[in-house]
Amino acid sequence: MAGADGDDSLYPIAVLIDELRNEDVQLRLNSIKKLSTIALALGVERTRTELLPFLTDTIYDEDEVLLALAEQLGSFTALVGGPDFVYCLLPPLESLATVEETVVRDKAVESLRKISHEHSPVDLEVHFEPLVKRLASGDWFTSRTSACGLFSVCYPRVSSTVKAEIRQHFRTLCSDDTPMVRRAAASKLGEFAKVLELDYVKSDIIPLFTTLASDEQDSVRLLAVEACVSIAQLLPQEDLEALVMPTLRQAAEDKSWRVRYMVADKFSELQKAVGPEITKNDLVPAFQNLLKDCEAEVRAAAANKVKEFCENLPDDSKENIIMSHILPCVKELVSDTNQHVKSALASVIMGLSTILGKDDTIEHLLPLFLAQLKDECPEVRLNIISNLDCVNEVIGIRQLSQSLLPAIVELAEDAKWRVRLAIIEYMPLLAGQLGVEFFDEKLNSLCMAWLVDHVYAIREAATCNLMKLVEKFGAEWAQNTIVPKVVAMANDPNYLHRMTTLFCINALSEACGQDITTKQMLPIVLKMSGDQVANVRFNVAKSLQKIGPVLENTALQAEVKPVLEKLATDQDMDVKYFAQEAISVLALA
Amino acid sequence: MSAISAAEKVDGFTRKSVRKAQKQKRSQGSSQFRTQSSLVELSPLPQLKDAPTTEQQELFCQKLQQCCMLFDFMDSVIDLKSKEIKRATLNELVDFVSTNRGVLVEAAYPEIAAMISNNIFRTLPPSDNPDFDPEEDEPTLEASWPHIQLVYEFFLRFLENPDFQPSIAKRYIDQKFVLQLLELFDSEDPRERDFLKTVLHRIYGKFLGLRAFIRKQINNIFLRFIYETEHFNGVAELLEILGSIINGFALPLKAEHKQFLMKVLIPMHTAKGLALFHAQLAYCVVQFLEKDPTLTEMVIRGLLKFWPKTCSQKEVMFLGEIEEILDVIEPTQFKKIQEPLFKQIAKCVSNPHFQVAERALYFWNNEYILSLIEENIDKILPIMFGSLYRISKEHWNPTIVALVYNVLKTLMEMNGTLFDELTTSYKAERQREKKKEQEREELWQKLDELRVKETSGMLNNTHSLQNAQNNNNTSAK
């Protein structure tokens, strides 16, 4: 690279290294983050012979600096001279892969994985694989933990003797004395299995899997559940029963709730991996048990999977299994003692209607929906309402509307403003599904009430909601139902409400079109320019700027311009500012 | 672990208060309970003290077996009669092993171990409160405490019985047993952890063969706590036990123990909940240093490495620990670390948080530290001077300014000439620093320019003409 030759003397390595040694951690960190610049200044040759040895020798620093270093080295290949020299990066990364701090170590492993692909097969065997072996037999647990993440990247590209060694090392780490190492090995078991030849999966991985799945520590056992998914995908169907299922059954009934939780959490993946037959025979009863688990955590995780599980059941027995096995459990969960369980269920239960079709939905699911709509916990109700569209497709929303209304009204008046906010966001959707008549009759007053909520975020959302409603129901509807109410608020004694009028006009002008804006809204805005509160006045200026483009040009010149000019001489600084801004944006000067 | 509920998404602010309002100090059952099915009602057995001596042993074992039965305490009205029978029996058993001699025959050991394991070993249930803050929140209490407490009580009396024979008991109280016991230290119930602490301490004292194993497992728990979960309720209790274990270490210290100090105890200072166990942790560290003063340098450098960057509360704790260490430091060791240490202290005294500054300045009230500073005033004064001088003029808090004046006065009295020199050179020093800073910036600017040139140089190969323009542009700037 060109930079190095002429400028060498300018950047003696000592100066650069001084920067990397700066007493101030922040400065040191900055220097490390620009390590590539330093390497560029040094050129590839001196980066290899001077910079990297320095980095390798002096690795004792704040973890944050080490983290930055580990990250940098992952994309350093070009700076040391390309793939032919990439092995030069191994020594510093090896040291980083042994430090205590997990984030540093993980980053070092990530970088090592990245540069492993840039090694030629020969370099991989000569340089990379020995590093993995050294880490795997390190004294302190950190290096062995790091090794676990490196086996799978070098295994596919080395000779069969080396492969045998790698398998041996992995086996050893799976029965390591330290639970941290076993956890690391268990978490990489699936990934490693994927790169192994099928025979070795059966002869090596399965015994390891079985052992890890019955480890004395539940933190190890639960990781084996994750591996189970990958392993099951690799094996032919006929081997699953003998090799995987005993372990999986045991995990689903583990005495530790953490393991059962993991099974519940991975249930859909497991279901896909083991196929329809095993699902019918084994997973259905297992799922029922998880839905009835004594720990709420487990029940909630399982409840979350109800829809996906049902969806993926084999077609020939789907309905039967759902009706006779799953639905009874679901019915019980609707009145669970734990609100997290109920709300997890509420977030997916509506999805069942598409699977079951109209008649079963009306007969079996509808009562459940209705019960959940009356649940004491607002999030349960909210989850039901937010998924109404699924039901709408199947049975239409009318079936629900009688129960829906009290639920909506109650949520709309919930003491927590975030609950109110959430329900506002569903209003346009509900309005679309319930139709304009129902809306006018039952919900319109709610939407208007939100405009005078005492929380700004609600008032803001309410204006935005009005805009969406107008987009749905059209300008004529707006003129008859909304605009009069909005305009009336301009005379409210509370200035916050008067401002809401302006915000509504901002939001509605475009959807309502030129005619309504000029004839009905503009006069109000102009009238408010004489408001005694400065905040209202400068919002008038802002509103005029906003609705200006929608107005007829004559109105703009004849009515808006004089008002803005008057505001531009207001005694309040902000009013002046926004008036002038509006004048220049609308090109009225 | 619990799924993120809609309410959490919906309402992040009132979450905690609402949750607190909803649960009035709930207690927890244990996950293991469900494994028991079809409860048989217990029937009372005759009193041990009324039984003839020949039948006493058999009755004792029968009662132990009876106490293996577990009950659901989440349901407060179920099995009331049986619960009461078990409670009374446990009370009787506690009394029996603590007052009688010669009752611990060999045949009783497996029954005793089985009764204890059955009752206390269980998977701890998920925390009711996923972000349980031990400093603020009420702990969830174990529902079956009325029984479990008596079992622990019995366990302790059993271990403390003069007839207790570790050689027999070690068949039952083995590695697996200890491992399960250690996991229970994660219990949220402080009453349970307190019992566990005493029990584990007794076991460590009586079972020599388990000592290394216990230390290693505690090691693993701590490492998991530091680097993986950041959550374990019993850290303080385990550290308390370790404090007395370290006290008993023979000299010279084994490599294993030193490794534990440097790779486990020191990194533990990074934990988020340090406040909950800092006193115990600092005690352990100081114990080590009292045993082997040559470890001082490593320990202080370790603490400096993990010095809190943003948490003032933790910084105050670190300063407290440093003072505890300085209280026992040998003057030769002090010389080895004075430079890096006082650079940190100089930063602390100029901390805008007055509690940190105040805590650091209090060092000057410590006679022993003062004598160490005086001995090394030539080294320390130049390090401290800049910060002290600056904050004596700038700190917002009048208390700090007053303290700094006192400190400056003390230092001046220690070496007046040096003090005067530093005062006169203060400005020049600041300017030199500024100049150095400027040079740094220039260096980096040059490096960045070089980088720009490099990248455009690469373009150069393909678009030489365009690049010439680029170069002109850069030079024009």
Side-chain angles (χ1 to χ4, degrees), chain B residues 151-195:
Chain B
V151 176
Y152 277 117
E153 191 85 53
F154 172 80
F155 193 4
L156 267 182
R157 299 295 161 85
F158 166 62
L159 290 168
E160 285 164 359
N161 188 302
D163 297 329
F164 176 77
Q165 289 194 41
S167 53
I168 303 173
K170 76 179 179 192
R171 269 175 257 160
Y172 313 101
I173 299 182
D174 55 3
Q175 296 195 347
K176 191 164 177 243
F177 187 96
V178 168
L179 203 60
Q180 287 171 287
L181 199 67
L182 282 168
E183 271 172 24
L184 291 175
F185 275 83
D186 195 20
S187 168
E188 240 179 71
D189 194 330
R191 303 168 301 182
E192 177 163 24
R193 295 202 305 272
D194 204 52
F195 264 113

Side-chain angles (χ1 to χ4, degrees), chain A residues 13 82 118 139 142 165 169 241 269 279 293 302 316 360 363 393 419 446 534 563:
Chain A
I13 182 139
E118 291 164 335
D139 281 337
T142 51
E165 283 173 24
H169 277 293
E241 176 52 45
E269 287 93 330
T279 296
D293 199 278
D316 57 343
D360 281 334
E363 192 183 340
E393 286 162 24
V419 173
L446 274 183
V563 170

Side-chain angles (χ1 to χ4, degrees), chain A residues 39 68 162 166 252 274 400 421 472:
Chain A
V162 180
I166 292 180
V274 299
L400 278 172
L421 185 64
K472 249 193 180 77

